[in-house]
Amino acid sequence: MSLSTTPPAAPLPADIDAPASAMPPVVAWSRAVAVGSLLGLIVLGLAWELVLAPTGNRTLALKVLPLAVPLVGLLKNRMYTYRWVSLMIWLYFIEGVIRAAGDRGISAWLAGGEVLLCVLLFTACAVHVRWRLYRAHALATATADAAAG
């Protein structure tokens, strides 16, 4: 028998990779911020290396290619993608910190923007994963309580 008599506040998704429409507002918001900041990093990286402050023969623009890979997973709401993006993004954070400290002029400001977008993306991924795992645990607990009671 369950000690808690209050039902869950909202319907819980049955699948950990459920569509965004079944997710609470916090999860939908964190998904939008994650996708937006990832797109921002792609646009910033391309604009930085091709137009705003190009370096050498502009091959550093290729650094944004790995950022395009997780975009599909974030849009499909894949939990695994949110987890590994939160680890991969630190490579771009390190690049931004090094270039912000070593570059001058507009390049230093662009590097600061990269750092800000990386922190925003990491935070959105962390919130997204935490809330989805919380909801999955709540669903499992509610199911177990219903089966027991």
Side-chain angles (χ1 to χ4, degrees):
M1 180 165 183
S2 173
L3 297 178
S4 173
T5 58
T6 58
L12 299 172
D15 183 19
I16 196 77
D17 284 328
S21 61
M23 295 293 155
V26 171
V27 175
W29 173 84
S30 64
R31 177 178 182 239
V33 171
V35 170
S37 57
L38 184 64
L39 286 172
L41 277 169
I42 293 170
V43 169
L44 176 70
L46 289 173
W48 183 357
E49 300 300 342
L50 297 176
V51 179
L52 300 174
T55 56
N57 58 4
R58 301 176 186 206
T59 56
L60 280 178
L62 295 175
K63 72 181 181 184
V64 301
L65 285 179
L67 292 173
V69 173
L71 190 57
V72 174
L74 293 182
L75 291 172
K76 288 184 176 183
N77 216 25
R78 305 281 184 201
M79 177 74 91
Y80 182 75
T81 305
Y82 283 90
R83 287 179 170 179
W84 71 261
V85 165
S86 68
L87 299 174
M88 177 197 73
I89 201 61
W90 291 112
L91 297 172
Y92 293 89
F93 175 83
I94 292 168
E95 184 222 5
V97 168
I98 290 171
R99 290 184 75 174
D103 291 356
R104 301 270 185 252
I106 192 170
S107 188
W109 285 99
L110 293 171
E114 181 179 35
V115 168
L116 181 67
L117 285 170
C118 287
V119 170
L120 191 62
L121 178 57
F122 174 79
T123 304
C125 286
V127 167
H128 190 90
V129 168
R130 182 174 177 91
W131 271 88
R132 285 184 59 192
L133 289 177
Y134 169 78
R135 299 296 286 180
H137 178 71
L139 176 63
T141 303
T143 303
D145 287 347

